Amino acid sequence: MVQALQNMTVSEYFTRPHIILSTNCPLFSWMLLNRETYRQVVALGLLDDEPYGSKSASVLGFQLMSNILRRKFIIKEEIMEEVRKRFEVIGKKPVVGFHIRRGDRSSDFKETRRFLYEEDIPRFMSCSVFKTVPKATIFIASDSTVTKYKLRDSYPQRRIVVFNMTAEHTYSAVRKDFGRQRVRNVFIDMMTLAQCDYIVGTYRSSYSTLAAAFQGHVPYYVKHRQKCFVPRSFTY
């Protein structure tokens, strides 16, 4: 599919008007490698009119995803009301939002894949974003309750806000009643991140990237054994 989308326009490949896809593959990036598809997306006003090939397709894919999410998705008012209540606790801006994706047995849902190790977590606090906003309040969302509270307690001199909720992965949670409630809470976390001034996410976490897309800005990332950075391209 991804190879075909480079050589065919979206309308040529998808001949039906309504298509439902379930994939982790960044189709937005691949389809923008096609010159005609890129021209059509620009004509729709979903991307700025810049010369074809002047930017990384993966960055353009992020921008396209962000524009569609922010313009077309309508979030339930009850969700946004919860987010507003959270910011009454978080307080005045600027706010830097952390999304710490541990994975493995450190996560609340005990998965097997690992994103970050214990020694990587302090890299969030040393991120270069704090050169711009050194006294910013910090909000932490994480798949690991232990990790977010431990980081907060390690820096008592900083204003760090966490909320008492248990993370759940959508893959298994949607099949359970209690899991669906947890997924709702995780989405509230995501929308809280989206209202922050800056996001520092976890490299290769689709949750971090999606939160940043709702926010509208390329996030900072923390990667295993690598200090905080702003990506030149995206790995979804």
Side-chain angles (χ1 to χ4, degrees):
M1 178 189 293
V2 293
Q3 292 178 344
L5 286 173
Q6 294 181 68
N7 301 314
M8 303 169 67
T9 65
V10 174
S11 59
E12 288 172 335
Y13 187 82
F14 298 112
T15 57
R16 298 180 182 178
H18 301 290
I19 302 294
I20 299 175
L21 295 173
S22 177
T23 175
N24 287 330
C25 183
L27 297 182
F28 281 142
S29 298
W30 287 97
M31 61 188 262
L32 292 175
L33 290 171
N34 181 280
R35 185 185 294 270
E36 178 59 21
T37 298
Y38 176 78
R39 186 194 67 78
Q40 292 176 3
V41 169
V42 170
L44 288 170
L46 293 173
L47 285 177
D48 293 335
D49 189 1
E50 298 178 296
Y52 171 79
S54 61
K55 281 187 176 180
S56 161
S58 67
V59 172
L60 287 173
F62 171 82
Q63 292 174 347
L64 177 58
M65 177 172 66
S66 176
N67 288 338
I68 291 173
L69 288 174
R70 291 184 296 115
R71 297 179 192 180
K72 304 299 183 181
F73 277 61
I74 299 175
I75 310 302
K76 281 188 174 181
E77 178 57 28
E78 64 185 80
I79 298 291
M80 297 312 298
E81 179 60 26
E82 290 293 330
V83 174
R84 285 191 286 271
K85 289 179 180 178
R86 283 182 165 205
F87 271 91
E88 292 176 2
V89 175
I90 293 171
K92 64 180 181 179
K93 294 192 173 187
V95 180
V96 175
F98 291 171
H99 175 237
I100 304 175
R101 179 77 156 94
R102 287 296 305 273
D104 70 42
R105 307 304 291 178
S106 300
S107 69
D108 291 341
F109 41 88
K110 310 301 180 188
E111 69 171 344
T112 55
R113 184 181 181 188
R114 177 175 288 181
F115 287 78
L116 296 172
Y117 290 72
E118 187 71 30
E119 63 267 24
D120 298 316
I121 307 308
R123 301 182 196 279
F124 284 84
M125 296 300 298
S126 59
C127 184
S128 58
V129 67
F130 293 112
K131 293 180 180 179
T132 303
V133 284
K135 296 182 179 181
T137 297
I138 298 167
F139 161 68
I140 302 178
S142 178
D143 65 343
S144 169
T145 299
V146 171
T147 295
K148 67 183 181 182
Y149 278 101
K150 183 176 180 180
L151 184 61
R152 184 199 65 176
D153 294 345
S154 297
Y155 294 86
Q157 75 280 13
R158 297 297 303 266
R159 176 161 176 73
I160 300 176
V161 180
V162 299
F163 293 95
N164 185 21
M165 56 154 283
T166 302
E168 185 66 80
H169 197 285
T170 53
Y171 181 77
S172 57
V174 293
R175 304 172 188 175
K176 317 167 192 173
D177 288 337
F178 78 89
R180 285 193 288 271
Q181 178 59 39
R182 288 182 179 179
V183 170
R184 177 184 181 276
N185 292 337
V186 169
F187 190 66
I188 291 171
D189 259 2
M190 180 181 289
M191 290 297 100
T192 305
L193 285 169
Q195 296 299 313
C196 294
D197 298 281
Y198 302 90
I199 293 176
V200 184
T202 300
Y203 183 68
R204 297 185 72 91
S205 167
S206 56
Y207 184 101
S208 292
T209 301
L210 190 57
F214 271 112
Q215 183 210 41
H217 301 289
V218 174
Y220 293 78
Y221 282 117
V222 170
K223 181 180 181 182
H224 177 47
R225 294 181 177 174
Q226 185 172 332
K227 66 180 182 180
C228 179
F229 65 97
V230 177
R232 294 184 179 180
S233 63
F234 279 87
T235 301
Y236 294 84

